[in-house]
Amino acid sequence: MTDRSRVFVSHGIEALSALAGRDLLAPLRDKADCRVWAEPGRPSPEELRGHMQSAEGLLCLLTDRVDGELIEASPRLRAISSVSVGVDHIDLEAATRRGIPVGNTPGVLTETTADLAFALLLAAARRVEEAGNFLRRGDWAGGEWEIDAFVGKDLHGATLGIIGLGPIGQAVARRAQGFSMRVLGWSRSGRQVPGVRGVAFTELLAESDFVSVHVALVPETRGLIGTEALGAMKPGSILINTARGGIVDERALAQALRSGRLAGVGLDVFAQEPAGADHPLIAFPNAVLTPHIGSASVGTRVRMAELAVRNLIAGIEGNRMPACANPEVLVRFGKG
Ligand code: DGY
C-alpha cells in the first residue's frame, strides 16, 4: 500500500528529456505515483477520462481538452498543470469551482515566442517562403536574376501594430524598435508601454503596415480579427498571429488574401489544430504557416516542462503553485 498521490501525465516527454540530458519528470516521480501516457498520439477524451478516475493530479498539454465534464468526472482531482501559458483548453471556472488550482507556464516562453512572431513577420514581409519554394522547384534554373522578382516590404520605417501588450507583445515591440519600426499598441486593459504609442483598436488597424496578435483567447477575443477588423486594416498590410487561432476568423482571412486586401499573413496557430494539408490557407503562396511552434526551442520547452512539473508538485502537496492561472482558488482556500 502507498499513500503517494497518483498523477497522470497525458504525454510522454522522453524525447525532450533526452535533449535536456535528464528525466524531466524525475522530480514528479519522486513525489508521486506517476502514470505516463505511452501510446502513440494523444489519449482520446474517453481514455483521458478513464485515467482521471483515480488521478489526483494531471500534467497536460494544450491539445488535451480539460472541460467541465472531465473535471467533474475526476473525483480525486486536486491539481492540474498545463505545459503551456495559454489555458483556453481548460475550463478554469469549473476547476475553480472545485477548488482545483491550474498551473501554467508564463514568462519562460516570452522571448522565444516573440522570436517566432518576428521570424514570421520577416518571412512574410520578404516573401522568404515563396522565394525559397521557387528555388526548390527548380523554377530559377535557366532563368534570370529579375529586378522585380519577389519584391516585398521593408520593416525599417514601417509601422507595426501590436494587439495585446502583455509580456509577449512587449517583447515583440522591443524587437521592432531594434528594426527601426514605429510601434503602435492596443490592449483590452488600456496598458501603456514605453516606446509603444497606445491607440484605439481601429486606429491601430488603419495605420499599421504589419499587425501582430498577442492577446489570450477568451470569450471577448474569439473572432476579434474578423471581416470588420480585416476590412479596417491598411490595404496591402500583413497579419501575424502566434497567439491562438480562434482569435482570427480564418474564412474572412482567406477572403482578405484572395481579394488582395492583405499582402500576406504569418500564422503559427489555427482554429482547429492540428491543421491538415487541406487547410484552405495552405493554397495561398503569401501565407507563411507553421505548426504551433512559437515556444519550440529546446531551452524554452525544457523550462516549460520544469515549471509545469513544479506547479503540479506544489498543487498535489497543497502548496501555492509557482505559476497559477486561477489564483483566486488559493485565496478562497486560504493559501493566497
Ligand atoms: C502556449 O504555451 O500557450 C503556447 O501556445 C505553446 O507554447
Side-chain angles (χ1 to χ4, degrees):
M1 278 293 285
T2 169
D3 57 359
R4 281 155 58 90
S5 298
R6 176 174 294 185
V7 302
F8 180 59
V9 178
S10 72
H11 195 92
I13 55 172
E14 299 78 15
L16 188 63
S17 291
L19 289 169
R22 59 189 182 281
D23 177 10
L24 296 167
L25 292 178
L28 191 57
R29 294 187 211 279
D30 280 351
K31 302 278 183 179
D33 171 7
C34 213
R35 306 283 159 102
V36 183
W37 178 252
E39 308 296 322
R42 55 185 153 146
S44 68
E46 294 70 35
E47 286 160 334
L48 190 53
R49 210 175 153 125
H51 279 280
M52 294 315 294
Q53 282 307 305
S54 53
E56 285 153 72
L58 170 64
L59 189 75
C60 64
L61 300 185
L62 51 80
T63 41
D64 298 308
R65 191 123 304 279
V66 186
D67 55 17
E69 220 174 292
L70 177 67
I71 291 171
E72 289 315 316
S74 308
R76 303 174 59 139
L77 185 58
R78 289 191 291 120
I80 301 170
S81 175
S82 183
V83 192
S84 64
V85 64
V87 286
D88 46 285
H89 55 299
I90 301 174
D91 187 333
L92 272 194
E93 274 178 29
T96 306
R97 263 198 311 277
R98 279 268 314 269
I100 297 170
V102 175
N104 67 340
T105 63
V108 294
L109 48 66
T110 300
E111 301 297 333
T112 302
T113 306
D115 282 347
L116 187 83
F118 229 79
L120 293 177
L121 186 61
L122 281 163
R126 296 301 305 274
R127 304 175 60 183
V128 171
E129 205 168 85
E130 255 182 283
N133 288 337
F134 171 82
L135 187 148
R136 277 171 205 281
R137 282 194 306 266
D139 291 351
W140 194 24
E144 287 298 331
W145 181 89
E146 301 285 353
I147 193 144
D148 57 351
F150 300 107
V151 286
K153 291 177 176 299
D154 283 324
L155 260 59
H156 68 269
T159 299
L160 172 65
I162 299 181
I163 295 182
L165 291 170
I168 300 175
Q170 292 179 39
V172 170
R174 287 195 295 278
R175 284 157 179 74
Q177 285 148 6
F179 273 74
S180 305
M181 299 181 88
R182 171 175 170 251
V183 187
L184 305 180
W186 173 85
S187 74
R188 290 196 299 140
S189 65
R191 176 181 281 161
Q192 294 299 319
V193 170
V196 177
R197 189 159 78 79
V199 293
F201 185 62
T202 46
E203 188 181 343
L204 180 143
L205 297 173
E207 283 201 22
S208 299
D209 302 295
F210 302 91
V211 172
S212 192
V213 178
H214 299 286
V215 284
L217 178 61
V218 290
E220 296 76 19
T221 60
R222 187 172 286 282
L224 180 70
I225 310 294
T227 306
E228 205 180 322
L230 290 163
M233 282 176 72
K234 200 168 176 174
S237 56
I238 287 177
L239 178 74
I240 306 299
N241 185 12
T242 51
R244 284 292 184 269
I247 298 161
V248 176
D249 175 343
E250 290 176 349
R251 200 185 285 252
L253 182 59
Q255 179 51 28
L257 287 169
R258 199 172 296 118
S259 69
R261 169 104 203 164
L262 292 193
V265 67
L267 301 180
D268 184 47
V269 287
F270 299 86
Q272 287 299 325
E273 294 183 5
D278 57 349
H279 193 288
L281 290 168
I282 290 179
F284 293 93
N286 51 347
V288 181
L289 309 173
T290 49
H292 205 145
I293 57 165
S295 60
S297 73
V298 176
T300 289
R301 285 284 165 83
V302 167
R303 281 186 286 275
M304 288 169 71
E306 286 173 339
L307 177 52
V309 163
R310 285 203 304 278
N311 280 337
L312 190 57
I313 292 172
I316 57 174
E317 290 187 337
N319 296 325
R320 192 184 176 87
M321 288 179 168
C324 183
N326 59 343
E328 59 276 22
V329 100
L330 306 173
V331 174
R332 171 127 51 96
F333 289 81
K335 296 196 174 106

